[in-house]
Amino acid sequence: MTSVASADGVLGRRGLRTGVEWSTPAAARARAAQLITEHRARGQEIVRNPHLSAEWARTAVRAPQLLAAVQEAIGPDVAVENTFLVVKWPGRTFEIPWHQDGIDARVELDPDRSVSAWLAISDATLDNGCLHAVFGSQHFGYLPFSSEAENGAERGRADQATGFTADASTALPLRAGTALLMDSRLLHRSGTNTGDGARVGLNIRYVAPGGLRRRDPQSPSLDPVTGTGW
């Protein structure tokens, strides 16, 4: 097991905060139904940066209670670095491996100036592929990573963390309309949807000024949400 550092990070000892409201349950489930209808024909699983093109996503990343929780963690000036809409269709293998949101082949975020959010648009349950996290794993710091094995899916190959043992993890089911915030170094994963309906979620990476340590220059520009120093 990788040795740990001493600082808890911006979200405390566990490395996450749960129970953040970003929408009413009814409105979130209605949005999930629309997105499922929109993406069912192609069976699309990942939509990159919907906050740049879809009004619903642009509104979601600015939800007042969500934004207040982000500002409490990283300060008043906040921008969106990246978003992913993820749809897990029932009966289709879709394992997201252990990973850390703040580092991949494209980007590295300063964990003191960044935080990720996972928004449940539909209900996320044990059956349909809710997140699992290793509480306190931000103490490992950023870990080495590599691309997962080729799976043949249109979504491509995800980066997965290496060099650690997940001795214990906690499932994090979420009601539609709620969100959790994660330290950018927190290890988490999700499994295949074995339920009856699609599971829909939105992942957001938020940064404060100076939050980018490394970034692919071909990436879309930061999308400022609050503040003027961008």
Side-chain angles (χ1 to χ4, degrees):
M1 174 78 73
T2 301
S3 62
V4 301
S6 58
D8 285 336
V10 297
L11 291 173
R13 180 177 56 84
R14 295 197 308 167
L16 82 168
R17 175 178 172 182
T18 58
V20 179
E21 303 284 338
W22 69 273
S23 171
T24 66
R29 290 173 185 136
R31 178 61 61 190
Q34 292 175 353
L35 292 168
I36 290 166
T37 298
E38 179 180 349
H39 297 294
R40 179 180 285 119
R42 286 187 56 198
Q44 194 165 10
E45 295 172 315
I46 293 179
V47 179
R48 290 172 172 81
N49 291 312
H51 71 289
L52 298 178
S53 59
E55 186 60 33
W56 72 265
R58 188 166 182 83
T59 299
V61 302
R62 291 165 169 77
Q65 292 186 51
L66 172 63
L67 187 56
V70 171
Q71 291 175 306
E72 184 178 342
I74 62 173
D77 297 342
V78 173
V80 174
E81 189 276 325
N82 177 270
T83 59
F84 283 92
L85 173 69
V86 180
V87 183
K88 289 198 172 190
W89 301 99
R92 180 183 297 179
T93 300
F94 188 175
E95 298 274 343
I96 297 179
W98 289 111
H99 66 283
Q100 298 168 302
D101 281 347
I103 190 168
D104 57 30
R106 188 183 62 81
V107 72
E108 182 179 334
L109 305 182
D110 182 340
D112 291 328
R113 295 178 175 87
S114 64
V115 69
S116 66
W118 196 90
L119 280 58
I121 304 177
S122 65
D123 295 295
T125 68
L126 290 172
D127 288 338
N128 70 15
C130 70
L131 267 61
H132 294 247
V134 180
F135 290 173
S137 55
Q138 75 276 11
H139 293 129
F140 302 154
Y142 283 132
L143 298 175
F145 61 89
S146 62
S147 295
E148 67 176 345
E150 177 60 55
N151 54 40
E154 182 181 341
R155 61 182 174 268
R157 299 168 68 187
D159 287 315
Q160 59 183 352
T162 62
F164 77 101
T165 302
D167 295 324
S169 64
T170 301
L172 298 166
L174 291 180
R175 188 195 71 224
T178 60
L180 60 86
L181 299 185
M182 292 181 287
D183 188 292
S184 296
R185 301 161 295 181
L186 190 78
L187 288 159
H188 59 287
R189 63 169 294 277
S190 65
T192 290
N193 180 355
T194 61
D196 296 327
R199 192 219 73 178
V200 187
L202 182 69
N203 181 262
I204 308 166
R205 291 199 290 226
Y206 290 103
V207 295
L212 296 175
R213 289 179 174 173
R214 173 179 58 81
R215 194 162 189 253
D216 183 341
Q218 302 303 314
S219 299
S221 299
L222 292 177
D223 184 19
V225 177
T226 63
T228 59
W230 302 101

